[in-house]
Amino acid sequence: MNQQLLAKTFVELADNLVADFDLIDFLRLLTDRCVGLLGASAAGVLLADRDGALRVMAASDEQVRLLELFQLQNDQGPCLECFRTGAPVIVPDLTREVERWPRFVTAAHRGGFGAVQALPMRLRDEVVGALNLFRAAPGPFDPAGTLVAQALADVATISLLQQRTAQRSNVLNEQLQTALNSRVLIEQAKGKLAERQGIDMERAFTALRGYARAHNRRLSDLARAFIDDSEPFPGLGS
């Protein structure tokens, strides 16, 4: 494991404890670093909205985003179970869980995944979501890697809850609802850029994210302006 990158990741996540941060970009950083550090093939984050329904908030690539959506649509899978129980769900070999989650296992294999571990994003007794790590090949997960992944999930959870006060649930709900609205804008901007440049959705997201960072802009604000064509974006297909 790259110890230098791991240390940098914890610092970057902790920075969000005191700064006004872009939640979508923050969660994408979490998934990307889980892939880069822990040898996962892909990673995703599900968070509960104001009504307690899970939503896909971040994914390291389009394939796993679709798989996470499939879990929600079919109401079965390790990530849902993790959220509902508040306990890790570790599945070294998905072929052994066909009876448990028949539709999910089929979809996961179709997507190229053979193993998964879902880790709760929780603080004390409150579970706000799940961090999900997928791997192409079946086999046992490294216990040390699982501890690191859970630690990253814990730091991310604390960041999400940073603004809580006496009305902390309302604060979090508003923050998550804003993030959900931002997610819609970003998906629309991805589609527009992908069509305009003739590229896939993952490359479109990377381009939007890179442009936002290079120009010190919030990703959601950039997405809104790009959708509305309210300003030129040199080098970004407009």
Side-chain angles (χ1 to χ4, degrees):
M1 186 180 299
N2 186 327
Q3 297 297 324
Q4 184 175 0
L5 181 59
L6 177 61
K8 179 182 178 183
T9 299
F10 276 113
V11 170
E12 288 175 317
L13 293 177
D15 277 344
N16 292 283
L17 299 178
V18 293
D20 179 23
F21 65 98
D22 186 322
L23 181 57
I24 299 298
D25 194 50
F26 169 75
L27 293 174
R28 180 58 188 256
L29 171 69
L30 175 62
T31 61
D32 287 351
R33 292 295 170 81
C34 283
V35 172
L37 285 165
L38 303 176
S41 301
V45 172
L46 303 179
L47 292 181
D49 65 14
R50 66 178 60 181
D51 299 317
L54 281 177
R55 305 282 184 163
V56 180
M57 296 304 298
S60 60
D61 61 46
E62 189 69 10
Q63 187 67 45
V64 79
R65 186 182 76 86
L66 294 175
L67 182 58
E68 297 279 41
L69 285 172
F70 185 89
Q71 282 196 84
L72 299 181
Q73 291 165 355
N74 288 273
D75 195 33
Q76 66 170 233
C79 309
L80 286 169
E81 186 171 311
C82 172
F83 173 72
R84 289 166 178 167
T85 64
V89 177
I90 300 177
V91 185
D93 187 352
L94 279 167
T95 60
R96 299 177 180 272
E97 304 296 340
V98 174
E99 293 186 5
R100 187 178 182 185
W101 308 305
R103 293 189 296 275
F104 171 78
V105 170
T106 299
H109 284 157
R110 189 166 55 241
F113 302 117
V116 61
Q117 57 179 342
L119 305 173
M121 297 181 68
R122 63 181 298 168
L123 183 64
R124 301 183 182 90
D125 295 329
E126 183 167 9
V127 184
V128 301
L131 169 65
N132 314 304
L133 307 182
F134 296 86
R135 201 175 57 205
F141 287 92
D142 175 19
T146 298
L147 288 175
V148 170
Q150 185 64 68
L152 292 172
D154 291 344
V155 172
T157 303
I158 293 170
S159 292
L160 291 174
L161 303 177
Q162 64 170 331
Q163 299 297 328
R164 289 201 162 188
T165 59
Q167 295 79 32
R168 57 184 186 174
S169 61
N170 290 333
V171 172
L172 179 61
N173 286 338
E174 290 173 7
Q175 184 184 57
L176 295 184
Q177 192 61 45
T178 298
L180 286 169
N181 295 338
S182 297
R183 179 79 261 175
V184 172
L185 287 173
I186 292 165
E187 289 299 316
Q188 292 174 344
K190 280 168 54 179
K192 180 175 180 178
L193 183 60
E195 181 179 6
R196 181 171 293 181
Q197 292 195 354
I199 58 178
D200 60 34
M201 295 286 278
E202 185 62 25
R203 290 179 61 192
F205 178 84
T206 299
L208 288 167
R209 186 188 190 196
Y211 194 97
R213 289 186 167 187
H215 294 80
N216 196 28
R217 297 185 62 163
R218 290 173 61 89
L219 184 57
S220 55
D221 292 341
L222 172 68
R224 185 188 302 276
F226 183 73
I227 293 167
D228 295 341
D229 285 323
S230 59
E231 59 184 280
F233 294 100
L236 197 58
S238 64

Short mmCIF file of all heavy atoms in Angstrom, two decimals, residues 4 90 108 112 127:
data_model
loop_
_atom_site.label_atom_id
_atom_site.label_comp_id
_atom_site.label_asym_id
_atom_site.label_seq_id
_atom_site.Cartn_x
_atom_site.Cartn_y
_atom_site.Cartn_z
N GLN A 4 2.40 6.98 1.54
CA GLN A 4 2.39 8.44 1.32
C GLN A 4 1.02 8.89 0.79
O GLN A 4 0.47 9.90 1.25
CB GLN A 4 3.50 8.83 0.34
CG GLN A 4 3.63 10.33 0.14
CD GLN A 4 4.82 10.69 -0.73
OE1 GLN A 4 5.56 9.83 -1.18
NE2 GLN A 4 5.01 11.96 -0.99
N ILE A 90 -19.12 -8.67 3.95
CA ILE A 90 -17.93 -9.04 3.19
C ILE A 90 -18.19 -10.34 2.44
O ILE A 90 -18.50 -11.36 3.06
CB ILE A 90 -16.71 -9.16 4.11
CG1 ILE A 90 -16.44 -7.82 4.81
CG2 ILE A 90 -15.47 -9.60 3.32
CD1 ILE A 90 -15.31 -7.83 5.81
N ALA A 108 -23.81 -8.41 -11.12
CA ALA A 108 -22.41 -8.18 -10.76
C ALA A 108 -21.48 -8.98 -11.66
O ALA A 108 -20.46 -8.46 -12.14
CB ALA A 108 -22.18 -8.56 -9.30
N GLY A 112 -18.56 -7.83 -14.45
CA GLY A 112 -17.17 -8.20 -14.29
C GLY A 112 -16.68 -8.25 -12.87
O GLY A 112 -15.47 -8.21 -12.61
N VAL A 127 -26.52 5.39 10.94
CA VAL A 127 -25.92 4.98 9.66
C VAL A 127 -26.44 5.90 8.56
O VAL A 127 -27.65 6.02 8.37
CB VAL A 127 -26.27 3.51 9.33
CG1 VAL A 127 -25.57 3.08 8.05
CG2 VAL A 127 -25.91 2.60 10.48
#
